[in-house]
């Protein structure tokens, strides 16, 4: 059976993530490389940081890439191989590593550079992201147009049929969430520190 491995982006981080893999020898090498390039103990942060701490861009991205690549390395060490890899946003970096297009060193160097740039961008302008459940492209675009009110608010990630992420200013996201819920639809704020992909 062919397996496709899909890697998550920022926003999927949770306290204690990696508890089942961080001590695996293949994964430990990944966590050590990540720690070297990000400048902090990535394994310890993954296991012990609070949700608020993990939502900070540099921590979130370091932990997500280390977990994704570490888990893939642990599976490969047990004889599992994907027929294809893909990723959402930051997950694309993990997919590049697992596909062999980037070495582990290149992956962590690139991920650390990317996280630093995104941290600076987030610090320069508060923003947020929200997943609209049950949304199609037309509904997401109409919602953004109706709720922007002069602020940035755009469809950002077309994750799958029925789930589109919007991105923009905190105020615009709050208006969009309220309008979406008023239509008896569900949405979920992403654990990001900025209006990424906008």
């Amino acid at each position: 059976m062919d397996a496709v491995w899909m890697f998550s982006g920022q926003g999927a981080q949770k306290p204690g993530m990696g508890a089942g893999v961080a001590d695996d020898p293949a994964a430990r090498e990944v966590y050590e490389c990540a720690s070297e390039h990000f400048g902090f103990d990535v394994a310890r942060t993954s296991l012990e940081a609070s949700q608020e701490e993990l939502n900070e861009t540099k921590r979130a991205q370091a932990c997500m890439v280390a977990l994704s690549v570490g888990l893939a390395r642990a599976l490969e060490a047990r004889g599992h191989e994907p027929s294809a890899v893909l990723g959402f946003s930051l997950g694309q970096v993990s997919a590049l590593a697992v596909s062999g297009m980037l070495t582990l060193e290149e992956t962590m160097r690139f991920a650390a550079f990317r996280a630093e740039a995104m941290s600076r961008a987030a610090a320069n302008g508060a923003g947020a992201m929200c997943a609209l459940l049950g949304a199609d492209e037309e509904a997401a675009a109409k919602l953004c147009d109706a709720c922007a009110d002069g602020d940035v608010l755009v469809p950002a990630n077309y994750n799958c049929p029925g789930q589109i992420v919007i991105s923009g200013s905190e105020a615009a996201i709050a208006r969009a969430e309220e309008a979406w819920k008023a239509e008896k639809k569900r949405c979920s704020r992403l654990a990001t520190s900025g209006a990424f992909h906008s």
Side-chain angles (χ1 to χ4, degrees):
M1 178 166 146
D2 288 343
V4 175
W5 293 356
M6 182 170 66
F7 301 101
S8 299
Q10 186 177 347
Q13 66 276 358
K14 298 285 183 223
M17 64 189 216
V21 74
D23 286 332
D24 182 280
R28 191 167 38 248
E29 178 188 1
V30 174
Y31 278 99
E32 288 170 359
C33 186
S35 297
E36 179 182 326
H37 287 280
F38 279 88
F40 61 91
D41 188 330
V42 176
R44 172 179 264 167
T45 300
S46 296
L47 297 171
E48 298 176 7
S50 67
Q51 185 69 57
E52 185 178 351
E53 291 169 321
L54 281 176
N55 290 351
E56 193 274 323
T57 300
K58 285 174 73 171
R59 286 189 185 107
Q61 294 194 17
C63 294
M64 287 303 301
V65 170
L67 175 60
S68 295
V69 177
L71 183 57
R73 290 273 179 102
L75 288 169
E76 288 169 341
R78 288 162 176 78
H80 302 284
E81 294 288 332
S83 58
V85 294
L86 67 146
F88 287 115
S89 187
L90 175 65
Q92 294 171 1
V93 177
S94 301
L96 288 170
V98 175
S99 72
M101 294 183 76
L102 294 177
T103 66
L104 183 58
E105 289 283 331
E106 290 167 339
T107 298
M108 294 308 169
R109 188 167 52 248
F110 173 57
F113 177 84
R114 180 185 190 275
E116 178 63 35
M118 290 179 72
S119 291
R120 284 196 309 269
N124 289 333
M129 300 179 78
C130 178
L132 304 176
L133 306 178
D136 59 26
E137 291 183 33
E138 183 180 349
K142 284 174 74 173
L143 181 71
C144 288
D145 289 343
C147 297
D149 196 26
D151 290 332
V152 172
L153 184 63
V154 297
N157 300 348
Y158 298 87
N159 286 349
C160 63
Q163 187 188 99
I164 297 176
V165 175
I166 58 174
S167 182
S169 73
E170 288 272 358
I173 289 290
R175 289 190 295 271
E177 288 170 330
E178 187 176 320
W180 195 250
K181 290 174 184 175
E183 294 181 25
K184 305 288 190 242
K185 296 181 180 176
R186 295 180 344 177
C187 58
S188 179
R189 183 77 65 107
L190 301 189
T192 62
S193 58
F196 303 131
H197 300 279
S198 67

